Amino acid sequence: AEMDGDLALEYKAWLTPHIRKILSLPGFQKAEVFEDLDALPSGPVKFVVQYTLESDKALEDYLKGSAKLMRQEAVDKFGDRLKLNRRRLKLLNENYQK
């Protein structure tokens, strides 16, 4: 999510209950929220929410079902003040440890 800095506090306040709602959907296991520290100081604020799902099928079901409604909630709340994008990532190996 990308927004002007004056929207960041409002977005973060909205985001917590939104994430809880998504985590209540079948297949969702956890969510982590990151702020993009490489964003330019004079540029937009950027956040990344990374969800972990139990399976590829859970993701497919979400994308075919609730995804549009969940995204629409953000559009209804923030309109064009918020730019959203989605990336789907597949974990290849989680065994790297120090």
Side-chain angles (χ1 to χ4, degrees):
E2 187 176 307
M3 69 215 67
D4 288 336
D6 61 342
L7 184 60
L9 286 176
E10 182 182 352
Y11 175 76
K12 286 193 292 186
W14 171 85
L15 186 59
T16 297
H18 180 74
I19 288 172
R20 287 189 185 122
K21 193 177 209 179
I22 290 178
L23 288 176
S24 73
L25 297 171
F28 282 81
Q29 296 178 322
K30 72 175 185 174
E32 296 177 295
V33 180
F34 302 88
E35 183 174 356
D36 183 347
L37 298 179
D38 289 331
L40 298 175
S42 61
V45 175
K46 298 178 184 180
F47 296 101
V48 175
V49 181
Q50 181 176 326
Y51 294 98
T52 301
L53 286 87
E54 66 187 24
S55 66
D56 291 341
K57 181 171 181 346
L59 177 60
E60 288 174 30
D61 291 347
Y62 170 73
L63 292 173
K64 289 178 185 174
S66 301
K68 186 174 181 178
L69 177 63
M70 293 294 105
R71 182 166 285 219
Q72 190 62 45
E73 288 183 0
V75 171
D76 291 347
K77 174 80 174 161
F78 301 107
D80 62 358
R81 299 182 299 158
L82 183 67
K83 181 181 173 186
L84 299 171
N85 67 64
R86 176 183 292 134
R87 283 176 264 164
R88 298 180 315 151
L89 305 171
K90 182 172 184 163
L91 181 64
L92 297 179
N93 190 329
E94 62 182 274
N95 294 319
Y96 297 109
Q97 297 181 25
K98 184 174 180 179

